[in-house]
Amino acid sequence: GQVQFRLDSNAFSGRKELDAALIDAIKHYNSAAVRPLLKAGASPNAVDPEQKTFSALLLASFGDQQEVRAMLIKAGAKI
């Protein structure tokens, strides 16, 4: 909902914001937001801006988010 609205209204100013939104979606178990963020240009290798050693894939693994992990790997996440 809200992520798609922000994407539709071009509210993200660049990849850095898209990556941060992707990390936020994963942290909040919002798997529905992951695919549109990746499609819009978020990196499947995004890192948490607060915990620089935590990648999107690692966060999804911590949360046992299998669907999100699959989306990230399909989008090119480094394993």
Side-chain angles (χ1 to χ4, degrees):
Q2 188 177 41
V3 168
Q4 189 61 52
F5 174 77
R6 291 186 69 197
L7 288 168
D8 291 344
S9 62
N10 295 317
F12 296 106
S13 65
R15 177 142 156 226
K16 188 174 181 177
E17 284 190 16
L18 287 167
D19 288 356
L22 177 66
I23 294 295
D24 191 54
I26 294 168
K27 283 182 172 182
H28 290 95
Y29 296 85
N30 184 356
S31 61
V34 172
R35 190 178 323 273
L37 285 165
L38 290 169
K39 190 174 181 177
S43 172
N45 296 302
V47 295
D48 185 336
E50 296 170 6
Q51 300 290 328
K52 306 245 185 254
T53 59
F54 292 176
S55 68
L57 188 58
L58 185 60
L59 289 169
S61 295
F62 285 161
D64 197 27
Q65 299 178 63
Q66 295 177 14
E67 180 184 3
V68 171
R69 283 195 318 244
M71 284 187 267
L72 292 168
I73 291 168
K74 185 176 180 182
K78 295 176 188 171
I79 300 175

